[in-house]
């Protein structure tokens, strides 16, 4: 709602601002009956490694939290419900010269307002190939990397991030573009970006959860005020995808200092009301809260089984 005075001055609606995911998620899980709130990673100091050569001569890689499609693990298609069985718990890499079927049913995207129908909204590999072919970037590294979405800070900082750094350094990468999906994904890639910068690799995070990325503290961040799962542009909208990727590359080149955040001017829709729904306990009935608690407990059990089977 906007006050009458606000309407006179042309103010936007009060809720037309980046979703406060940290507070929203804290309130949501307390409403579901869980105990102490999750402690999100937070740093006061942020590393910063400028590009050492022009982007047109730099080798760039892509880091994603999307998962390879696993036909035996249930529904992972567009509009699929959260599917813990499709999670992965170890860093993986893929050939950037090939197309890949990556899905995000295993993470907590905004399923009410997006369906993950368009791979390019969360995995801009095709766009990066085009930028390499045109000379906008020097080259695309031969491998992209998948970062597990892990709530454990220890696992992320002591296992996954060092592995990503090692693979990037072995490939002679100059820069990395990191594209998260769910809230914890945003924390994961932010931690990876920090460690890459500490090891001489410039980074840009493209994301939709502004408060989480800035809370962790990263060198460069392109924020798109879109529902989670669309950090690389709107679905079935090649122009928005191209604009978003090109803006990320400009931020990668020109950021003057750590904690540089640039907000894309693109909007999701004419109405900002979609921002009111994600994990908003105030909009849930007691019956819906009980149903979601049961679903979440089931998902945790399923994820634990997958992690144990993977040796995690």
């Amino acid at each position: 709602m906007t006050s009458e005075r606000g309407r006179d001055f042309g103010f936007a609606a009060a809720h037309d601002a980046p979703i406060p995911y940290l507070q929203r998620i804290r309130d949501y899980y307390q409403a579901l009956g869980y105990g102490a709130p999750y402690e999100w990673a937070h740093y006061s100091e942020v590393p910063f490694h400028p590009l050492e050569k022009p982007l047109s001569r730099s080798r760039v890689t892509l880091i994603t939290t999307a998962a390879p499609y696993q036909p035996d693990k249930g529904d992972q298609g567009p509009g699929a419900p959260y599917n813990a069985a499709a999670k992965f718990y170890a860093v993986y890499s893929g050939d950037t010269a090939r197309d890949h079927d990556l899905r995000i049913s295993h993470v907590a995207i905004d399923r009410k307002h997006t369906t993950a129908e368009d791979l390019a909204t969360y995995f801009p590999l095709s766009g990066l190939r085009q930028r390499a072919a045109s000379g906008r970037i020097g080259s695309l590294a031969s491998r992209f990397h998948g970062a597990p979405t892990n709530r454990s800070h220890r696992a992320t900082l002591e296992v996954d991030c060092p592995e990503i750094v090692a693979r990037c350094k072995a490939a002679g990468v100059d820069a990395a573009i990191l594209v998260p999906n769910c809230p914890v994904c945003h924390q994961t890639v932010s931690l990876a970006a920090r460690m890459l910068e500490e090891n001489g690799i410039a980074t840009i995070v493209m994301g939709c959860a502004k408060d989480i990325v800035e809370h962790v503290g990263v060198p460069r961040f392109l924020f798109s005020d879109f529902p989670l799962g669309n950090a690389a542009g709107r679905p079935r909208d090649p122009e928005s995808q191209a604009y978003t990727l090109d803006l990320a590359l400009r931020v990668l080149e020109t950021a003057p200092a750590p904690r540089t955040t640039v907000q894309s001017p693109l909007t999701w829709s004419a109405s900002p009301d979609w921002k009111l729904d994600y994990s908003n306990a105030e909009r849930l009935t007691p019956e819906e809260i009980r149903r979601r608690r049961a679903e979440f407990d089931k998902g945790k059990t399923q994820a634990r089984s997958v992690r144990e089977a993977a040796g995690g």
Side-chain angles (χ1 to χ4, degrees), residues 61-62 64 66-70 76 92-104 116-127 129 140-146:
T61 194
L62 175 61
T64 180
Y69 174 55
Q70 303 173 70
Q76 297 152 68
Y92 74 89
S93 298
D95 184 353
T96 57
R98 293 178 48 244
D99 292 333
H100 296 268
D101 188 0
L102 302 186
R103 311 287 181 96
I104 53 175
E117 74 217 42
D118 183 357
L119 178 71
T121 65
Y122 55 87
F123 185 63
L125 178 59
S126 177
R129 284 191 198 131
L140 183 57
S142 62
R143 311 285 282 177
F144 71 88
H145 308 294

Side-chain angles (χ1 to χ4, degrees), residues 71-268:
D72 60 331
K73 297 297 175 64
D75 187 4
Q76 297 152 68
Y82 171 74
N83 183 354
K87 284 181 173 291
F88 64 98
Y89 287 96
V91 174
Y92 74 89
S93 298
D95 184 353
T96 57
R98 293 178 48 244
D99 292 333
H100 296 268
D101 188 0
L102 302 186
R103 311 287 181 96
I104 53 175
S105 64
H106 67 297
V107 293
I109 62 167
D110 186 340
R111 288 184 164 78
K112 182 168 183 178
H113 297 284
T114 193
T115 64
E117 74 217 42
D118 183 357
L119 178 71
T121 65
Y122 55 87
F123 185 63
L125 178 59
S126 177
L128 283 171
R129 284 191 198 131
Q130 294 169 13
R131 302 311 182 277
S134 70
R136 179 67 178 91
I137 62 176
S139 64
L140 183 57
S142 62
R143 311 285 282 177
F144 71 88
H145 308 294
T149 299
N150 204 322
R151 288 170 59 88
S152 167
H153 302 122
R154 186 176 301 278
T156 299
L157 288 168
E158 296 183 359
V159 179
D160 300 333
C161 288
E163 181 63 24
I164 289 170
V165 169
R167 296 189 190 197
C168 289
K169 288 181 72 68
V173 165
D174 298 300
I177 297 174
L178 303 97
V179 187
N181 292 292
C182 75
V184 178
C185 292
H186 281 75
Q187 174 179 258
T188 296
V189 303
S190 296
L191 294 173
R194 293 175 54 87
M195 194 171 291
L196 285 164
E197 295 272 343
E198 290 169 347
N199 284 272
I201 296 173
T203 65
I204 175 75
V205 174
M206 299 169 64
C208 299
K210 184 174 187 286
D211 61 334
I212 293 174
V213 174
E214 292 184 336
H215 186 73
V216 176
V218 301
R220 306 166 193 81
F221 175 40
L222 174 62
F223 169 59
S224 293
D225 200 4
F226 294 165
L228 295 174
N230 300 276
R234 291 186 294 248
R236 308 303 179 195
D237 186 348
E239 288 187 4
S240 83
Q241 295 162 12
Y243 180 89
T244 302
L245 180 56
D246 287 335
L247 184 54
L249 294 176
R250 288 200 294 275
V251 177
L252 178 60
E253 288 178 303
T254 62
R259 292 191 184 275
T260 294
T261 295
V262 171
Q263 179 167 341
S264 169
L266 301 181
T267 56
W268 181 252

Side-chain angles (χ1 to χ4, degrees), residues 260-292:
T260 294
T261 295
V262 171
Q263 179 167 341
S264 169
L266 301 181
T267 56
W268 181 252
S269 63
S271 170
D273 290 356
W274 62 270
K275 300 180 184 185
L276 295 171
D277 292 320
Y278 187 85
S279 293
N280 191 344
E282 295 180 358
R283 296 170 75 89
L284 301 177
T285 65
E287 293 77 14
E288 177 66 10
I289 288 174
R290 285 192 293 270
R291 185 189 68 79
R292 293 196 181 197

